[in-house]
Amino acid sequence: MVNPHPRRRGQRIPRSRATASSAIPSTGRRASFLVFACTIPFAVIVLIWQHAQLMERLEGGGEYSAYVEVEDDDSEDELSWGDSVQQAVDVVKFVAYGSGWLSEKDDDYPIDDDDQVDEDTNSEIDEDTNSANLNSASAPSKINKLLRSASEQAGSIIPYDLSVNHLKLITDAPGKPLTQPLSPHASSASVWEDFLPVVKPTDISFRWRHQAKAGSSTENAAKVAAYRIEARRIGGILLWDSDKIQVDDELPFSSPWPATILPKAGEIIEWRVILWDVENKAHSSIWSKFAVGPAEESDWKGQWIAHPVDMNTFHKDEKKTTECERWKMRRSLPLFRAQLPSQTILPIIENEEDALVSALLVVSGLGSFRVSMDGVPLSASGPIDPPFTDYSKRVMYRGFDVTAFLASEGASENSHAIGISMGSGWWDHRPLSGFAKFDLLPRGPATIVAQLYLTTTKGNIHVVIPTDGSDTAKSAWQVTRGHIRESDLFTGEIVDVGVMSAIEGWDTPTGWSESERWVVPVVYHTDVSPQRRREEIAIRANAMKRTSEKRTTDVNFASPIGKLVPPEIPPILPMEQIAPDEIHDLGSGRWLFDFGKAFSGMLHFDEGLPTPIIPETYPRAHGFKAASEQGDSFITVIYGESLEMTTGDINRVLVAGLGLHDGGPRHVSNEAGAQDNHPCFPEDQDGILSQRDVFVSPKRNSGTERPFSSVRQSHFTTHSFRFAEICCTSEPPAGVRALVYRTAFSEWGTFDSSNVLINGGYELVKNAMVSNMLSVQSDCPHREKLPYGGDLVADSPAAMHMFDMSSFYKKTVQDWLDAQWDNGAYTETSVWQDLNDYAGIGHGAGETVWATAPPVLTVRHMQHYGDIKLLEHSLAAHVRWVDFLDKYFEAGMLIKGYDEELDEYHGQKSGLGDWLAMRSRDTFLTHTAFYMAAARCVAYIARKVGDEKMTRKSLAQAEIIRKRIASLYLMNGKDDFDFPRGHASHTPGPEMSLFSRIVPGEKRCVVLKNWFKRSGSIWPGDEETLFLKELDESYAQEMVRTGELVKESDGYHMGWSQWQGFNEGIFAIRYALKTLSDMGFHHIALRKAAGFGFATSEYMMRHNATTMWESWWRSEDLYSRNHPMLGAMAEWMSSSVAGVSHYPTTTGARKMLFWPRFPKSATTLEYASATQGTVRGDYSIAWRFEDLPADKSQYNSATVQVRVRFLVPPGGEGVVRPPVIASSKTTATLRHATIAPDLINAKSSTSKECKRRRKARLGFSYSWEFDREKEKWYKHESGKAIGTPCESYLFHSSLDKTKWDNGMDITSAFSQKTDMPIAPGLYEILFTNWPLEKEIEGTGRIGNIPEYYNSNDLGPYCKDSSTFEWDIDDGTHII
């Protein structure tokens, strides 16, 4: 009999044992237990307990475990000594009873099969029998095995964060709602995880990270001396053991499953890794888990199936109707279900010689799908599942471990039911023309494919209930119309509460009822081949010419469906729950919920919704005419990220999309209702396309008490919002929370500092980044949702700092490979949408910068994650892109008006360039520089994969392009690096060319010097002009004094700054900040990031921003306010402000650079810190000024000391680059911790303190608000969480007891600016006699810096010009 109890981690199905009620015995006789306990050395008990505690702290019960912060951040108390002792006793009990040392007959403690959850962690796999049957062993043998197991936790290096093909097991999504009402018919079985990685048998690579164990010797933890991987089938059967592999040089980035003993599709496999330290002591990870899925089309017994009516809307007979009419015929969305009869599984479950050990359900669906079994949802995912790809090329499937359902008591006698509910997703969203063009996306009816694998003890695998479209009564699958009337990624969801109630239990065997509403599905079919669809799209894109007459209309014209592949990225899951900060009564039963920050997600109603009221007039966009006419009751929810300043309502215009709104109250462009004639424009949205969910209860349910009480949330849409309006109820709904959804990759990077404005900028970027990670990295999460190449080029360094993007960006590159035209051209977006092709060089190519994203991202992926497979897989495609540029670039540029010598070029021609900069854009430079970058990328990739011929060719090609740029931009003796007829006023210019090593080494410092001549300018923007008209004179005069405003004869003007704010577009931000910091002017870079006034992060926050805007200027009707495009500053903050980054020539983060740089004055910054996660582990740095005077007026002149701490994980390598030392009196001392401190506890304590500070709103302290009665702006003093300063865990008081070595004086080495390699461990450098000095002012906020451009000494980084060539192994400065 199989184990009936679910497992959180290390899941296995043990042999038959007595059923019990407690996992750890707590009552009954103690004698046998005490005898057992006394035979175990106390050190072993402590080791076991410490390991259990450490694993829980490292893994949290899996990749994520649910934790919802409600009120008190300090509610998680530290364990008392008594608690610790009790836990140690419990662990010993766990081992004693779970491993069978004491049998049930020897004691009366109940035993639960769950006690064997980590049996093989507490035992050694029997290599002779390939089993872990401890019960058959003698007592001395058991003692030896337990001691051996304890020794496996004695090592100094702890492996954690296990992943397969870059995918990690996720047990519980951290934002998953705790209240999910189930049907009374639902099973009591539990779901074991929210995401189970699934791989192909032929493609399995293991990866893990590691860190030093607290209390271990730093020397012992410096290097992984050996490792071992064990993989077993659920049930304990060993499938593969790598044996102990010695690590002579460096640990590999990943370890592949050997091709000689491949696992089978359908198997669920547990695995762990054991690491040995320098002293040959071992430490094991916990067991993780993955599944093996079908690899080829022939492995699929299931077929794609659809509702027959839906399928028929793609038949030529329906072609006479409009696209919108056919789309409405496919509403409501379908539900699919299948019954697994008991007679199918009974022979397998009751076969004692070959019993069932696991059950794997594999499913995919288009548009989006959610799966349940016996009435229990199998995951918290759903909004966009499968992930967004070109579905005519490839579609991902999911795998679910449903063993618990088939193994529950009575499972063999009962039937089981699988239910699949559907949303529209990217497959069949409302055919409304906007940014996302539905006619260019693959499109068809909602459809699913599924099959269930049953695996037995002997490895036999049975495939049952595959989806089929049989028209006989024998079909296991049925389909009907469900409770979701409409589901759309852009406009929201309409949920029929009445239908939801009527079909309760539809996906359970006991609630199963045969009725006419359920019909047999049909097999999905189309006459359109993948090749022909691709050719038709390519012709539209001008990527190929039509070679024959256009075909007549196909009989069945649904899009073809691509190849099924295992998941390449984690699903979109709820990652956070947020309670509302404030609730406002807007009248007429309308309630405004403010959640304090913007994000992507939806509302969740813990207690359901109250009964609605009917106001005299529904507030704008809250009406539902069709429901009102039928007497139905309904509740609407409207979402938005900001408020309309003249009304206080949600600003729907900003999220509507270009041309899909009437301008709103502030900028009326059309009369209300003008959009209602737009094809398929939603009814009742009053001229503005809105993010709106509607919950409706039909009139026939009017007698039902609280008909909306079962409502919890929408499922197949996400909204971008900070604010939500709920209408119309007499009281605000109770228990309302916001669920934050994103792709569930891990957070790897952090940054903190003492400066509220710099911190705030980092948070703006991170919040926007999180909002836009919904299976693709999008530009904005409400109206476009599309993956643009330029955004990836600009922001991928920031994203790779913040998150583990290894799987996500690998999938992203594949998306572009799928989209590449046959002529080699890459597109602007990963699914062609015909948006800005006019800005490219023609023949189907996207704008050159945007289209070069795939090779750039491939190089950055290698630098961060070391995945050589991605390089081998993508090189040929990147070569084709460069070949395309070789063939078409020059002619294309001439057609676009760029003459060869730029004699007629005055800047900003065809091309997007440094998009949304304050300056005019130099589009020739960006086009040509990214042509160079494409060739550099190919050279880099070819070198890594060993193709020397391609390396030489591409490197020479890149150098030719670089020299051409340099000769044109230094023509006629001009040293400001500008095009021949330029006036040093375009972007990007010097900053890009310096950073990317385009400027010749001998010219770099004169170009840098002349760069400081640039200055800012006044800004005539619409909203800024209106703001000043609506501003009291007293405020205006104060802003003149601070430099924010310029007063001229025609009035006040806002101005943008070159050196005290931002003017750069999406690319030059990174180039400017990094170039300044790297070339000795870090204090100027800090001043830009910490600037105030127009075109700064402070300007956004003063207007209540919590996410990055699309533009530096304020927009009330066009530009998005949740857009990470301008977010490149975040990576600079970690790499330069704190000082940890990837060494330019590293691969897979083997080597990291610690380069702390300090401001001249402590008024700018007193401390900063960052953590950078890598495939090896976490690298961290923190620095702070110490002995600062109490009088802050002396922050410009005092002499202080600077303390720097940094951490290198086991197996890692660090390089310390010294900051510029300004005084001969300054000394530098380095010391190394000899014993690894408890960094996990330090992190936890520091995190709690930071949460407390954020809760106290110690961040940004004011905002500009609009008084709607007076029609005037005023400054409102009010503390906010955003920007709250927090110190690093490396300076937590618990580390004050760290044991250090005697230290060494490194003053001489640092004075010579010598890089210093360092081994793993915790380090500290103390600088004494560090002088602070006043910052150079320049000529004002919008002026320049004559102190630098008039100087002949630009610092130590201008002394050597020979090191300025681009290195072919340098992935940082490739562009």
Side-chain angles (χ1 to χ4, degrees):
M1 183 177 179
V2 292
N3 181 14
H5 301 288
R7 205 81 55 202
R8 279 299 173 200
R9 59 178 186 271
Q11 292 91 336
R12 63 167 301 164
I13 309 295
R15 290 151 301 284
S16 176
R17 303 190 59 189
T19 302
S21 60
S22 174
I24 297 180
S26 58
T27 60
R29 296 194 316 248
R30 300 289 192 270
S32 299
F33 167 71
L34 290 174
V35 170
F36 158 77
C38 290
T39 64
I40 303 176
F42 181 71
V44 175
I45 299 174
V46 172
L47 277 171
I48 297 171
W49 172 72
Q50 285 183 339
H51 174 65
Q53 292 296 302
L54 185 57
M55 288 296 100
E56 188 65 24
R57 289 154 69 190
L58 276 174
E59 296 289 344
E63 170 56 16
Y64 299 107
S65 57
Y67 169 68
V68 182
E69 180 183 341
V70 180
E71 293 293 341
D72 188 2
D73 293 330
D74 301 320
S75 60
E76 297 180 282
D77 297 329
E78 296 292 334
L79 288 173
S80 67
W81 167 246
D83 294 331
S84 301
V85 172
Q86 183 58 52
Q87 288 198 17
V89 171
D90 286 345
V91 169
V92 175
K93 292 177 183 178
F94 177 87
V95 175
Y97 292 93
S99 63
W101 276 44
L102 299 178
S103 66
E104 294 100 309
K105 67 181 181 180
D106 295 330
D107 212 321
D108 60 2
Y109 294 126
I111 305 296
D112 192 329
D113 287 343
D114 283 353
D115 293 350
Q116 291 203 17
V117 60
D118 281 328
E119 179 178 309
D120 283 345
T121 302
N122 298 313
S123 65
E124 182 67 16
I125 291 181
D126 190 329
E127 295 180 357
D128 296 327
T129 62
N130 283 345
S131 67
N133 189 353
L134 292 180
N135 293 326
S136 64
S138 63
S141 174
K142 293 175 183 178
I143 293 175
N144 289 335
K145 287 181 178 179
L146 180 63
L147 293 176
R148 186 173 179 181
S149 175
S151 71
E152 287 181 356
Q153 314 310 325
S156 302
I157 304 174
I158 304 169
Y160 69 105
D161 223 3
L162 276 63
S163 63
V164 180
N165 294 2
H166 302 288
L167 300 173
K168 299 163 193 169
L169 178 72
I170 301 176
T171 55
D172 284 302
K176 183 164 67 174
L178 301 179
T179 57
Q180 287 287 24
L182 300 177
S183 164
H185 305 282
S187 169
S188 60
S190 300
V191 178
W192 295 349
E193 55 267 326
D194 273 321
F195 175 60
L196 174 68
V198 182
V199 299
K200 295 190 292 188
T202 54
D203 182 20
I204 305 175
S205 292
F206 300 102
R207 186 184 76 166
W208 61 89
R209 306 203 298 150
H210 35 258
Q211 71 175 42
K213 184 169 70 175
S216 63
S217 163
T218 300
E219 183 178 350
N220 292 343
K223 182 180 184 293
V224 176
Y227 68 94
R228 178 181 184 179
I229 298 172
E230 294 172 343
R232 67 189 185 194
R233 184 187 304 131
I234 293 285
I237 301 300
L238 183 68
L239 296 176
W240 175 53
D241 184 345
S242 72
D243 293 325
K244 188 175 181 181
I245 300 173
Q246 297 295 329
V247 179
D248 296 327
D249 185 16
E250 291 182 325
L251 194 67
F253 295 122
S254 62
S255 297
W257 187 295
T260 54
I261 47 171
L262 296 179
K264 302 175 185 176
E267 290 188 306
I268 301 176
I269 297 173
E270 298 169 321
W271 74 285
R272 67 167 177 170
V273 62
I274 303 170
L275 304 182
W276 281 265
D277 63 16
V278 172
E279 284 197 336
N280 202 34
K281 292 181 179 179
H283 204 298
S284 171
S285 69
I286 65 169
W287 289 90
S288 189
K289 175 180 167 185
F290 66 96
V292 181
E296 304 299 332
E297 293 296 317
S298 59
D299 296 330
W300 283 92
K301 308 304 179 188
Q303 300 171 292
W304 287 100
I305 58 175
H307 194 293
V309 173
D310 292 353
M311 193 72 251
N312 195 50
T313 63
F314 288 89
H315 189 276
K316 70 178 181 66
D317 290 344
E318 295 292 346
K319 193 73 173 178
K320 57 180 179 242
T321 59
T322 67
E323 186 75 44
C324 187
E325 288 170 334
R326 293 196 302 274
W327 180 80
K328 289 180 179 179
M329 291 170 64
R330 298 192 290 275
R331 311 302 96 176
S332 295
L333 276 298
L335 302 174
F336 294 89
R337 70 178 184 181
Q339 197 165 41
L340 177 61
S342 58
Q343 58 266 32
T344 300
I345 59 173
L346 190 62
I348 301 172
I349 290 181
E350 294 192 344
N351 185 346
E352 294 184 1
E353 295 183 358
D354 193 20
L356 175 70
V357 293
S358 68
L360 175 69
L361 176 65
V362 290
V363 183
S364 189
L366 294 170
S368 297
F369 67 94
R370 296 180 80 241
V371 188
S372 59
M373 188 156 189
D374 295 345
V376 180
L378 297 185
S379 175
S381 61
I384 306 175
D385 202 354
F388 185 22
T389 59
D390 181 341
Y391 296 134
S392 68
K393 295 294 186 61
R394 72 190 202 285
V395 181
M396 295 178 213
Y397 62 84
R398 288 281 302 277
F400 303 93
D401 184 348
V402 296
T403 312
F405 296 89
L406 304 186
S408 60
E409 188 173 351
S412 60
E413 292 83 19
N414 297 327
S415 296
H416 298 274
I418 296 169
I420 303 176
S421 54
M422 301 300 295
S424 297
W426 280 102
W427 178 247
D428 192 21
H429 63 79
R430 178 181 283 270
L432 183 67
S433 294
F435 281 106
K437 300 176 180 177
F438 70 90
D439 57 322
L440 296 178
L441 295 171
R443 192 172 185 80
T447 178
I448 65 162
V449 62
Q451 59 194 36
L452 177 63
Y453 288 97
L454 304 178
T455 303
T456 65
T457 305
K458 294 182 179 180
N460 293 314
I461 297 174
H462 308 265
V463 179
V464 299
I465 58 169
T467 46
D468 66 79
S470 170
D471 58 0
T472 69
K474 295 181 180 180
S475 174
W477 287 89
Q478 298 179 341
V479 63
T480 190
R481 296 293 179 201
H483 57 286
I484 298 178
R485 292 189 185 180
E486 179 179 325
S487 169
D488 188 82
L489 292 177
F490 297 90
T491 60
E493 199 161 284
I494 302 176
V495 178
D496 191 320
V497 179
V499 173
M500 190 166 63
S501 175
I503 62 173
E504 184 179 63
W506 66 275
D507 55 350
T508 67
T510 56
W512 189 285
S513 62
E514 299 292 347
S515 69
E516 293 180 358
R517 71 180 301 153
W518 291 94
V519 299
V520 176
V522 297
V523 174
Y524 184 97
H525 52 277
T526 181
D527 298 326
V528 182
S529 69
Q531 180 62 26
R532 187 154 61 80
R533 181 184 185 276
R534 179 172 178 79
E535 289 176 358
E536 291 295 334
I537 297 293
I539 291 168
R540 291 182 62 177
N542 198 33
M544 68 178 295
K545 294 181 179 180
R546 189 177 298 279
T547 56
S548 61
E549 291 185 6
K550 190 174 181 180
R551 292 174 179 261
T552 58
T553 302
D554 297 290
V555 175
N556 300 290
F557 56 89
S559 294
I561 299 176
K563 182 179 180 181
L564 281 161
V565 298
E568 298 168 352
I569 58 174
I572 296 168
L573 292 172
M575 302 303 291
E576 184 182 1
Q577 287 191 36
I578 304 177
D581 275 357
E582 298 175 343
I583 303 174
H584 300 275
D585 184 352
L586 301 181
S588 300
R590 187 168 53 129
W591 306 94
L592 179 70
F593 288 73
D594 179 359
F595 293 92
K597 70 175 182 179
F599 48 86
S600 288
M602 63 198 72
L603 294 189
H604 186 272
F605 310 105
D606 291 350
E607 302 175 24
L609 287 170
T611 301
I613 63 173
I614 302 176
E616 291 184 8
T617 302
Y618 278 98
R620 192 175 185 193
H622 281 287
F624 191 5
K625 183 178 178 181
S628 295
E629 289 176 348
Q630 296 178 27
D632 299 343
S633 56
F634 59 91
I635 294 175
T636 53
V637 184
I638 290 179
Y639 301 84
E641 57 201 15
S642 64
L643 299 181
E644 210 290 321
M645 53 180 289
T646 62
T647 65
D649 299 339
I650 284 178
N651 188 334
R652 296 183 295 128
V653 167
L654 274 178
V655 301
L658 190 64
L660 296 175
H661 60 78
D662 62 9
R666 180 78 163 171
H667 300 287
V668 176
S669 56
N670 295 299
E671 294 182 4
Q675 295 289 349
D676 292 348
N677 293 323
H678 192 292
C680 228
F681 196 90
E683 298 175 1
D684 303 309
Q685 297 205 2
D686 294 327
I688 301 175
L689 195 70
S690 303
Q691 300 179 116
R692 189 175 93 146
D693 291 335
V694 183
F695 303 93
V696 57
S697 179
K699 183 179 180 180
R700 63 178 180 272
N701 285 16
S702 59
T704 305
E705 184 179 354
R706 295 196 64 209
F708 293 85
S709 61
S710 61
V711 171
R712 289 299 179 267
Q713 66 181 83
S714 55
H715 287 292
F716 295 109
T717 185
T718 59
H719 306 292
S720 171
F721 69 104
R722 169 183 169 177
F723 302 96
E725 291 178 10
I726 300 178
C727 185
C728 298
T729 61
S730 58
E731 296 292 335
V736 177
R737 294 185 180 278
L739 304 184
V740 179
Y741 278 82
R742 67 163 170 84
T743 300
F745 39 60
S746 300
E747 291 193 27
W748 270 13
T750 64
F751 170 80
D752 281 299
S753 80
S754 62
N755 190 296
V756 169
L757 300 182
I758 293 177
N759 296 346
Y762 184 87
E763 285 190 56
L764 291 175
V765 176
K766 185 171 185 178
N767 289 342
M769 200 76 76
V770 165
S771 301
N772 282 277
M773 294 293 186
L774 299 171
S775 82
V776 294
Q777 183 175 325
S778 59
D779 58 334
C780 50
H782 31 62
R783 64 191 187 200
E784 293 177 70
K785 301 177 184 271
L786 293 172
Y788 286 88
D791 300 58
L792 285 163
V793 169
D795 294 337
S796 54
M800 294 166 107
H801 153 64
M802 293 175 177
F803 309 106
D804 174 10
M805 302 296 288
S806 55
S807 65
F808 194 92
Y809 278 161
K810 189 172 185 177
K811 179 258 185 190
T812 300
V813 171
Q814 184 60 53
D815 289 346
W816 251 276
L817 300 188
D818 283 350
Q820 187 177 31
W821 303 122
D822 291 346
N823 63 7
Y826 278 131
T827 53
E828 178 192 13
T829 55
S830 63
V831 177
W832 183 68
Q833 286 285 283
D834 190 21
L835 291 168
N836 294 300
D837 284 14
Y838 72 88
I841 59 172
H843 305 282
E847 205 273 3
T848 311
V849 181
W850 272 246
T852 304
V856 170
L857 202 57
T858 303
V859 168
R860 290 174 179 171
H861 194 281
M862 183 63 186
Q863 187 184 36
H864 282 71
Y865 310 117
D867 189 345
I868 194 71
K869 287 184 179 179
L870 178 60
L871 273 61
E872 294 168 343
H873 175 66
S874 63
L875 175 58
H878 301 329
V879 169
R880 288 174 56 223
W881 168 236
V882 174
D883 288 345
F884 172 89
L885 292 171
D886 289 346
K887 183 176 181 179
Y888 293 111
F889 187 82
E890 289 190 14
M893 292 292 280
L894 285 171
I895 292 172
K896 295 296 182 181
Y898 299 93
D899 59 292
E900 189 171 347
E901 296 299 321
L902 301 185
D903 291 330
E904 303 300 323
Y905 176 61
H906 298 276
Q908 197 159 321
K909 278 186 175 293
S910 178
L912 302 178
D914 197 23
W915 188 241
L916 291 188
M918 306 302 302
R919 296 180 177 277
S920 294
R921 292 167 280 124
D922 185 350
T923 48
F924 174 84
L925 179 59
T926 48
H927 272 301
T928 312
F930 274 82
Y931 178 14
M932 175 200 73
R936 282 181 173 182
C937 288
V938 168
Y940 175 101
I941 295 168
R943 181 181 177 92
K944 300 303 179 191
V945 302
D947 187 339
E948 289 302 320
K949 182 178 179 180
M950 181 59 66
T951 301
R952 291 191 298 272
K953 174 186 174 183
S954 300
L955 191 60
Q957 188 178 19
E959 182 62 9
I960 290 171
I961 301 168
R962 185 200 69 79
K963 287 181 177 179
R964 182 180 181 225
I965 297 172
S967 65
L968 288 171
Y969 279 64
L970 293 171
M971 189 179 290
N972 303 323
K974 291 175 63 175
D975 289 332
D976 51 12
F977 211 85
D978 198 7
F979 53 88
R981 292 183 176 274
H983 301 284
S985 59
H986 285 65
T987 179
E991 62 273 74
M992 178 186 194
S993 305
L994 288 167
F995 179 84
S996 302
R997 309 301 194 252
I998 298 174
V999 176
E1002 66 275 10
K1003 288 287 188 178
R1004 63 173 177 168
C1005 287
V1006 68
V1007 169
L1008 174 67
K1009 175 179 175 178
N1010 288 329
W1011 185 26
F1012 289 113
K1013 294 179 180 179
R1014 291 197 173 199
S1015 58
S1017 180
I1018 61 173
W1019 173 252
D1022 293 343
E1023 291 298 339
E1024 282 69 36
T1025 300
L1026 285 172
F1027 175 89
L1028 294 177
K1029 288 180 179 179
E1030 297 161 341
L1031 189 68
D1032 281 340
E1033 180 69 18
S1034 59
Y1035 283 125
Q1037 291 178 4
E1038 175 61 25
M1039 293 169 76
V1040 170
R1041 283 192 291 273
T1042 61
E1044 293 181 58
L1045 296 184
V1046 176
K1047 187 173 184 179
E1048 296 187 345
S1049 58
D1050 59 345
Y1052 296 106
H1053 299 275
M1054 289 190 184
W1056 54 266
S1057 174
Q1058 171 68 41
W1059 307 111
Q1060 297 183 36
F1062 292 105
N1063 66 90
E1064 297 83 2
I1066 66 174
F1067 308 116
I1069 295 169
R1070 181 170 187 249
Y1071 301 143
L1073 293 173
K1074 299 279 278 190
T1075 298
L1076 288 168
S1077 292
D1078 291 354
M1079 296 192 70
F1081 296 90
H1082 180 60
H1083 55 292
I1084 301 298
L1086 283 172
R1087 193 161 65 175
K1088 286 176 71 68
F1092 63 91
F1094 178 69
T1096 64
S1097 300
E1098 183 271 347
Y1099 184 73
M1100 296 182 190
M1101 289 188 289
R1102 70 164 66 171
H1103 286 286
N1104 290 303
T1106 58
T1107 48
M1108 202 73 185
W1109 293 352
E1110 185 176 8
S1111 61
W1112 293 117
W1113 53 92
R1114 188 167 60 88
S1115 173
E1116 295 288 338
D1117 66 334
L1118 179 59
Y1119 292 106
S1120 169
R1121 292 194 181 179
N1122 193 342
H1123 204 298
M1125 183 177 71
L1126 296 170
M1129 66 181 75
E1131 186 275 334
W1132 164 81
M1133 291 174 187
S1134 64
S1135 64
S1136 300
V1137 179
V1140 58
S1141 63
H1142 291 73
Y1143 197 81
T1145 57
T1146 194
T1147 56
R1150 278 193 176 99
K1151 182 189 293 186
M1152 297 294 285
L1153 176 65
F1154 295 102
W1155 189 3
R1157 283 154 281 191
F1158 315 126
K1160 290 182 177 293
S1161 169
T1163 57
T1164 306
L1165 205 59
E1166 298 178 29
Y1167 59 82
S1169 64
T1171 291
Q1172 180 60 66
T1174 73
V1175 296
R1176 291 282 189 262
D1178 287 344
Y1179 290 76
S1180 296
I1181 188 171
W1183 64 264
R1184 66 184 181 191
F1185 289 134
E1186 297 182 342
D1187 298 334
L1188 284 167
D1191 182 359
K1192 291 192 175 183
S1193 66
Q1194 299 178 31
Y1195 275 23
N1196 292 327
S1197 58
T1199 299
V1200 298
Q1201 66 179 17
V1202 189
R1203 192 178 303 272
V1204 186
R1205 286 180 179 171
F1206 40 92
L1207 176 72
V1208 180
E1213 180 183 352
V1215 172
V1216 178
R1217 182 167 295 170
V1220 176
I1221 296 178
S1223 171
S1224 59
K1225 296 180 181 179
T1226 300
T1227 64
T1229 305
L1230 172 72
R1231 57 181 185 170
H1232 187 196
T1234 57
I1235 301 296
D1238 189 348
L1239 298 178
I1240 296 176
N1241 179 64
K1243 286 181 181 178
S1244 176
S1245 299
T1246 304
S1247 176
K1248 289 179 181 178
E1249 171 60 19
C1250 192
K1251 287 180 180 178
R1252 185 195 65 77
R1253 291 176 59 82
R1254 291 183 65 84
K1255 191 173 181 180
R1257 298 174 180 262
L1258 299 180
F1260 195 73
S1261 60
Y1262 55 90
S1263 60
W1264 284 101
E1265 305 292 345
F1266 187 71
D1267 188 322
R1268 291 190 291 276
E1269 292 184 1
K1270 298 180 179 179
E1271 295 187 347
K1272 289 287 186 180
W1273 288 94
Y1274 66 96
K1275 190 174 184 179
H1276 177 59
E1277 302 289 341
S1278 177
K1280 298 177 176 61
I1282 190 169
T1284 298
C1286 294
E1287 277 214 76
S1288 169
Y1289 75 96
L1290 291 179
F1291 286 131
H1292 187 258
S1293 59
S1294 64
L1295 301 191
D1296 292 345
K1297 299 178 182 179
T1298 299
K1299 296 181 179 180
W1300 304 93
D1301 63 14
N1302 294 328
M1304 59 183 294
D1305 190 321
I1306 56 172
T1307 306
S1308 176
F1310 270 25
S1311 298
Q1312 298 172 19
K1313 302 187 297 299
T1314 303
D1315 284 359
M1316 179 182 297
I1318 55 171
L1322 177 66
Y1323 293 83
E1324 178 179 273
I1325 298 177
L1326 185 65
F1327 296 94
T1328 63
N1329 298 314
W1330 188 275
L1332 299 177
E1333 58 183 280
K1334 194 176 187 305
E1335 299 280 9
I1336 289 175
E1337 292 294 332
T1339 59
R1341 186 176 182 277
I1342 64 172
N1344 54 24
I1345 310 180
E1347 293 92 334
Y1348 292 144
Y1349 65 73
N1350 287 328
S1351 173
N1352 291 321
D1353 183 9
L1354 286 185
Y1357 298 102
C1358 278
K1359 305 299 183 185
D1360 177 17
S1361 63
S1362 63
T1363 59
F1364 206 62
E1365 299 293 327
W1366 176 70
D1367 187 324
I1368 191 173
D1369 293 315
D1370 181 353
T1372 299
H1373 302 98
I1374 206 160
I1375 189 63

